[in-house]
Amino acid sequence: MKLWRLLTLPIGLAVCSCLTLQPAAAQNVPLTNSGISSLQSAPEGADGTMQAPEFDPALDLSDDGSGSTVSADSGQVVNRTLGGGPGPGVSAKSGKKAKSNPIVNLSFDGLNHRNQRLANNGNQFSVEPPDQGLCGGNGFVMEAVNDVLRIYDTLGNPQTGVVDLNTFYGYTPAIVRPGTFGPDITDPSCYFDQATQRWFLTVLTLDRAGTTSALAGPNHLDIAVSTTASPLDPFIIYHLPVQNDGSQGTPNHNCVGGPCFGDYPHIGADANGFYITTNEFNFFAPGFRASQIYVISKQALTAGTATSAIDFDTANFTLDGNPGFTVWPAISPGNSYSADAGGTEYLLSGVANFSITRSDTRLRIWAVSNTQSLNTTTPAPVLNTAVVNVGSYSIPPKAGQRAGDIPLGDCINDTTTTITSLGPSFVGCWKALFGAEPAHNEVESQHIDSNDARMQQVVFANGKLWSALDTGVTMTAGTPPVPQTKAGIAYFILKPTSTVSSVSGTVAVQGVIGLLNNDLTYPAVGVTASGRGLIAFSLLGAGDGGSDPGNFPSAAYVPLDAQVGAGAISVIASGAGPDDGFTSYKAEVGNGRNRWGDYGATFTLGNSVWVASEYIGQTCTFSAYIAAPFGGCLVNEAGTRTSLGNWYTRITKLTP
């Protein structure tokens, strides 16, 4: 385990600059109970086979800032991003190595790309990034990624096989080659509710035009709720339509081209409600519209009687003319919910993505109050928002990584090697990947995704809101000092207050974390009920070209305290090699947006915080990659990747 001293801004207080708006009119959206499902795993597919199509043809994988949707009738690529290039870095100074760190109680590899691709007899696409959901309770841990899940016990022992999400939600497989397509599932999140002793798993599902690859337009949040405290028992499956074009009982938000798109769903809960937020884009045209906040009675969901959700449209709550974006709802450890204003669910969002400078000094705090009314026949929650002034944060630059073996990149470039695993006359590795010959000019990626400035995981614990997001950090190194701007993390611990007609917040502690010659990406905050926390993230970096070789993508964390802020950076699991997935290379995805996560995850059990982060847990040489079975790297590693991807996830239990 490696330790570094973090780089941090001075900690200070910022008083709320309140911009409390009038509650928006809420609209009901029908919620359909579609029956019962259970976790079922099928045999995995065979190693060493490339099968067309490997990628979902309804998604654009180029460097547009997001895996974009494609119209069913026009084939138009839709950019569903917000914000442009990086903003100015926040200044920080380096420090020394840490003297102590939280105790790692347990750490093990979770799901990886090979698990995902070979699940359900191989009837899966190659997918990047994983987008981790993690939750736990009652002796179990659930991990969900794009597009599989698995249950473990609290010692890290698998309790199920790898379960594909299409099958779990009652759909046909993602792909039955050559041309039968199931619904497109993405963005899983999960939560174990201590109060009800139930498991919640949500995904966004995009309907196809029949069984073709084209997306039809309707899309829905699929909500699975366990029937007991065990995730091995059956789940109730609900469908909540989010196209918001007036069809299927949805409100009409007049998205350009027809349906809206409920992207990037995330979940939270208080004593009374279950909350899902989305970023609403036009489905068949460019353009972001507004975040949506869906409010559902937790009591009705667990009883199997829920029939509707309440939709708050943040287009009614503008700041500088802009609606909410990535409004992330809070989860709470144990039963430490807010009782303010008849029960309150707090949410947070950033605003730098709307800024011309791609930076800002404000957060938005949101509150859904009077949530106790969700347990009545006349639910009447209200939504309020305000501005909290904080230290500067910005859209970060892309991340680098340490140089190492990139067998997929080497294969694309290779024109002369005889690939004996594919036949004695098979010359040129690229032929195993493409029908038409690509350019052979791939290099190791040094522009791995580091997110924009959207909010990441939010926790309400010990009367405070704990959160973090990605930011640019400017540090200096060398003699004379030379500034370098890297991807880092800004964290915020707020003291919220809510009434039925207003919400406000002040800053208890804030700071910025960075590491010279390295990048920190996709933070996830976890906090115990007593207020001891940490931030988990991926650490990677290109080094300085000299004595510091940098880091392969690794799983790391810092401790977090409401009095002194963040502690030192510790590496849980060092990366074994560079990211070498298909989104790294121009021949596969055009401009080559190297996807890395969209979010990590944490949950709390008692005095321990469990975290999940993406990292690279394998490496292999080109010769191992081309040996039988092709692309599996089984010569020196026991089936650690597929030909097109090598991402891993790491699950860790810590005691802050």
Side-chain angles (χ1 to χ4, degrees):
M1 188 185 307
K2 297 180 180 178
L3 305 176
W4 287 278
R5 181 70 177 174
L6 66 84
L7 312 175
T8 175
L9 284 178
I11 297 168
L13 292 177
V15 179
C16 169
S17 172
C18 293
L19 180 67
T20 304
L21 305 179
Q22 293 300 313
Q27 294 183 279
N28 286 334
V29 181
L31 187 65
T32 303
N33 183 331
S34 67
I36 298 293
S37 181
S38 298
L39 301 179
Q40 303 174 47
S41 58
E44 67 179 31
D47 277 296
T49 56
M50 284 281 296
Q51 298 176 289
E54 275 292 334
F55 314 129
D56 189 339
L59 297 180
D60 168 55
L61 300 170
S62 63
D63 192 8
D64 67 353
S66 178
S68 301
T69 60
V70 177
S71 167
D73 52 1
S74 69
Q76 178 186 15
V77 173
V78 177
N79 184 334
R80 50 186 177 88
T81 63
L82 190 62
V90 179
S91 296
K93 297 180 180 180
S94 67
K96 298 179 180 180
K97 288 185 178 180
K99 295 180 180 179
S100 63
N101 60 282
I103 298 172
V104 174
N105 306 118
L106 175 72
S107 189
F108 59 95
D109 283 337
L111 295 162
N112 61 35
H113 183 268
R114 183 176 183 273
N115 298 144
Q116 177 270 315
R117 173 60 183 84
L118 300 184
N120 194 21
N121 293 291
N123 292 316
Q124 298 271 97
F125 294 110
S126 287
V127 174
E128 290 187 335
D131 294 353
Q132 289 170 274
L134 186 76
C135 55
N138 193 36
F140 296 98
V141 175
M142 176 187 290
E143 182 187 25
V145 302
N146 288 329
D147 279 317
V148 292
L149 69 84
R150 195 169 211 173
I151 306 297
Y152 305 88
D153 65 21
T154 52
L155 296 177
N157 302 305
Q159 302 300 292
T160 66
V162 179
V163 179
D164 74 289
L165 294 179
N166 277 63
T167 297
F168 172 67
Y169 280 102
Y171 300 121
T172 55
I175 174 67
V176 178
R177 293 173 176 86
T180 301
F181 294 81
D184 183 358
I185 290 178
T186 189
D187 289 347
S189 294
C190 71
Y191 170 70
F192 179 75
D193 187 65
Q194 294 284 349
T196 61
Q197 292 288 291
R198 293 295 184 268
W199 299 79
F200 295 79
L201 175 68
T202 64
V203 296
L204 171 65
T205 300
L206 316 180
D207 289 342
R208 306 278 187 181
T211 59
T212 71
S213 65
L215 299 176
N219 56 111
H220 36 98
L221 299 173
D222 289 346
I223 308 165
V225 183
S226 69
T227 55
T228 75
S230 171
L232 305 180
D233 289 335
F235 283 71
I236 303 167
I237 306 297
Y238 294 94
H239 300 303
L240 178 66
V242 293
Q243 63 267 20
N244 290 339
D245 59 357
S247 66
Q248 298 179 352
T250 62
N252 191 347
H253 290 170
N254 297 304
C255 282
V256 177
C260 303
F261 184 91
D263 191 34
Y264 206 67
H266 287 289
I267 60 179
D270 75 343
N272 307 297
F274 182 70
Y275 307 88
I276 312 176
T277 62
T278 66
N279 283 337
E280 188 168 274
F281 289 83
N282 298 320
F283 200 112
F284 291 151
F288 172 70
R289 188 184 170 279
S291 286
Q292 305 300 304
I293 302 173
Y294 295 97
V295 180
I296 312 171
S297 165
K298 193 165 63 175
Q299 184 181 89
L301 278 173
T302 57
T305 59
T307 58
S308 65
I310 297 170
D311 174 24
F312 287 106
D313 182 2
T314 70
N316 297 306
F317 287 74
T318 60
L319 173 66
D320 300 335
N322 298 309
F325 175 68
T326 310
V327 181
W328 199 301
I331 58 173
S332 297
N335 297 318
S336 58
Y337 310 117
S338 171
D340 291 350
T344 291
E345 169 69 7
Y346 289 108
L347 311 89
L348 289 175
S349 63
V351 298
N353 281 43
F354 291 110
S355 170
I356 295 175
T357 64
R358 301 177 177 89
S359 65
D360 213 291
T361 58
R362 299 169 297 172
L363 297 179
R364 299 186 73 177
I365 183 171
W366 307 74
V368 178
S369 297
N370 193 33
T371 65
Q372 63 187 9
S373 70
L374 296 174
N375 300 320
T376 71
T377 57
T378 56
V382 294
L383 177 65
N384 295 284
T385 187
V387 171
V388 181
N389 294 326
V390 298
S392 180
Y393 63 96
S394 63
I395 296 176
K398 291 183 182 292
Q401 63 178 337
R402 181 176 177 175
D405 287 310
I406 51 167
L408 173 56
D410 292 340
C411 181
I412 297 171
N413 290 339
D414 179 75
T415 61
T416 60
T417 303
T418 299
I419 313 298
T420 57
S421 61
L422 300 178
S425 60
F426 198 105
V427 179
C429 188
W430 71 267
K431 295 177 183 176
L433 306 175
F434 304 96
E437 185 169 4
H440 305 292
N441 59 356
E442 304 290 358
V443 296
E444 184 174 5
S445 178
Q446 292 295 330
H447 55 276
I448 296 174
D449 265 3
S450 53
N451 210 356
D452 50 26
R454 70 184 66 193
M455 186 58 64
Q456 296 290 275
Q457 186 163 347
V458 179
V459 177
F460 179 77
N462 199 28
K464 301 177 183 68
L465 278 173
W466 309 63
S467 63
L469 48 75
D470 295 87
T471 186
V473 181
T474 298
M475 302 159 285
T476 57
T479 305
V482 177
Q484 57 174 242
T485 299
K486 298 291 184 180
I489 294 165
Y491 63 88
F492 310 94
I493 304 175
L494 309 181
K495 295 179 179 179
T497 302
S498 180
T499 70
V500 174
S501 60
S502 69
V503 62
S504 63
T506 60
V507 177
V509 178
Q510 62 182 324
V512 174
I513 310 166
L515 183 64
L516 280 169
N517 306 318
N518 289 275
D519 300 278
L520 314 177
T521 65
Y522 295 97
V525 177
V527 190
T528 67
S530 63
R532 298 187 63 84
L534 55 85
I535 307 172
F537 49 88
S538 295
L539 182 155
L540 62 166
D544 63 2
S547 59
D548 181 358
N551 285 273
F552 299 126
S554 304
Y557 68 94
V558 296
L560 185 63
D561 182 88
Q563 301 300 317
V564 298
I569 297 171
S570 299
V571 171
I572 300 167
S574 295
D579 184 19
D580 185 46
F582 65 90
T583 61
S584 302
Y585 300 112
K586 298 186 295 294
E588 297 283 7
V589 294
N591 291 331
R593 183 188 181 209
N594 192 336
R595 295 304 306 275
W596 189 264
D598 281 327
Y599 48 90
T602 72
F603 71 89
T604 301
L605 280 178
N607 294 324
S608 295
V609 177
W610 291 71
V611 304
S613 298
E614 185 178 354
Y615 87 119
I616 299 297
Q618 74 85 235
T619 189
C620 71
T621 62
F622 179 64
S623 61
Y625 178 88
I626 63 175
F630 177 84
C633 290
L634 272 72
V635 173
N636 57 351
E637 302 278 351
T640 58
R641 63 168 295 160
T642 71
S643 55
L644 292 172
N646 70 334
W647 55 257
Y648 268 56
T649 65
R650 189 77 173 188
I651 300 172
T652 303
K653 175 186 177 183
L654 305 104
T655 303

